[in-house]
């Protein structure tokens, strides 16, 4: 079964708006939570990542919020741009287990100009 | 650096045929991975390798085999292709010292009819 549950499956946002993607996990041994961005016909690329010792990490317009007690984390895309239109995957891994990634199902984000 | 390269880009197989998906990286990465991506399912780990001569199963290894004779190459073998193996296959690699960041190839789209 999916170890990381991701929602929504897809979302449409206007240019300049905020996109929010949520993920939940059950395995408390997970200690690394990356987000990957994938454009059509390309492989995924690491976007931003967080470890459970911090509650938030920001890189430019992308922010990860992490709630350890709720076992949830989310990606916020601020001031969404048409170039952000892509599929976003959350993932989780365990450092002591060779960082093997368990991926969420993915969210397709469409930013309308 | 070409990064992670995969061949072929596309392939159609008949049921029962075999083939090898090629993956090469020129970044001197120790770790290499094979994932399959199915619509609405995210990516699932098939096999991975922590160095030449060492391989291990991932989440969905049945129907596949791998070998790692060099640091650069990590081919994935399908012996008796089945329709359930229709998918997009991604190879990835990472540094031993930074195994938390995986670099993905462009993928191979395989259809088994």
């Amino acid at each position: 079964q999916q170890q990381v549950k991701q929602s929504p499956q897809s979302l449409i946002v206007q240019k300049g708006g905020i996109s929010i993607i949520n993920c939940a996990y059950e395995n408390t041994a997970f200690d690394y939570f990356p987000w990957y961005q994938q454009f059509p016909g390309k492989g995924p690329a690491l976007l931003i990542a967080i470890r459970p010792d911090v509650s938030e990490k920001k890189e430019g317009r992308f922010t990860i919020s992490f709630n350890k007690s709720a076992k949830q984390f989310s990606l916020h895309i601020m001031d969404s741009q048409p170039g952000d239109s892509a599929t976003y995957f959350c993932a989780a891994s365990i450092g002591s287990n060779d960082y093997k990634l368990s991926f969420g199902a993915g969210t397709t984000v469409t930013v309308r100009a | 650096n070409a990064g992670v390269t995969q061949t072929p880009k596309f392939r159609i197989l008949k049921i029962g045929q075999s083939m090898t998906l090629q993956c090469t990286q020129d970044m001197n990465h120790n770790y290499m991975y094979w994932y399959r991506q199915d619509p609405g399912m995210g990516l699932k780990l098939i096999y991975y390798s922590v160095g030449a001569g060492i391989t291990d199963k991932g989440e969905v290894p049945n129907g596949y085999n791998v070998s790692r004779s060099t640091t650069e190459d990590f081919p994935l073998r399908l012996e008796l292709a089945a329709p359930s193996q229709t998918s997009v296959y991604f190879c990835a690699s990472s540094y031993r010292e930074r195994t938390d960041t995986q670099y993905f190839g462009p993928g191979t789209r395989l259809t088994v009819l």
Side-chain angles (χ1 to χ4, degrees), chain A residues 1-2 9 32 36 38 41-44 46 51 89 98-101 103-105, chain B residues 31 33 35 37 40-45 48 50 90 99-102 104-106:
Chain A
Q1 73 276 16
Q2 205 88 19
Q9 193 173 15
Y32 178 68
Y36 279 78
Q38 184 181 30
K42 305 291 186 186
L46 180 66
R51 297 186 188 276
F89 294 96
D98 294 325
Y99 283 104
K100 290 182 290 186
L101 291 169
F103 282 88
Chain B
Y31 284 58
Y33 312 81
Y35 294 89
Q37 182 178 25
M41 299 292 291
L43 290 86
K44 294 197 183 298
L45 182 65
Y48 72 108
V50 302
F90 289 99
T99 51
D100 54 359
T101 302
Q102 295 183 20
F104 283 77

Side-chain angles (χ1 to χ4, degrees), chain A residues 37-55:
Chain A
Q37 179 187 53
Q38 184 181 30
F39 293 105
K42 305 291 186 186
L46 180 66
L47 181 66
I48 187 173
I50 198 168
R51 297 186 188 276
D53 52 345
V54 297
S55 60

Side-chain angles (χ1 to χ4, degrees), chain A residues 55-90:
Chain A
S55 60
E56 186 174 282
K57 183 173 181 180
K58 185 175 181 178
E59 287 184 3
R61 295 182 293 105
F62 300 90
T63 299
I64 300 179
S65 297
F66 185 81
N67 186 329
K68 189 173 181 178
S69 60
K71 292 185 285 187
Q72 294 175 346
F73 58 111
S74 60
L75 177 70
H76 291 61
I77 307 174
M78 314 300 286
D79 187 25
S80 296
Q81 299 296 312
D84 297 332
S85 296
T87 299
Y88 293 82
F89 294 96
C90 62

Side-chain angles (χ1 to χ4, degrees), chain B residues 3-75:
Chain B
V4 180
T5 56
Q6 293 183 238
T7 57
K9 284 188 167 48
F10 304 94
R11 183 74 186 267
I12 298 175
L13 281 183
K14 294 183 179 177
I15 294 172
Q17 286 185 320
S18 60
M19 76 163 294
T20 299
L21 282 66
Q22 302 291 346
C23 174
T24 300
Q25 53 87 13
D26 62 359
M27 298 176 282
N28 202 30
H29 285 175
N30 304 94
Y31 284 58
M32 296 187 75
Y33 312 81
W34 274 106
Y35 294 89
R36 60 177 287 171
Q37 182 178 25
D38 300 303
M41 299 292 291
L43 290 86
K44 294 197 183 298
L45 182 65
I46 304 171
Y47 271 96
Y48 72 108
S49 169
V50 302
I54 306 169
T55 63
D56 206 349
K57 295 178 181 178
E59 190 179 353
V60 290
N62 290 347
Y64 306 94
N65 277 302
V66 293
S67 59
R68 183 99 182 268
S69 56
T70 67
T71 298
E72 295 78 21
D73 300 305
F74 189 40

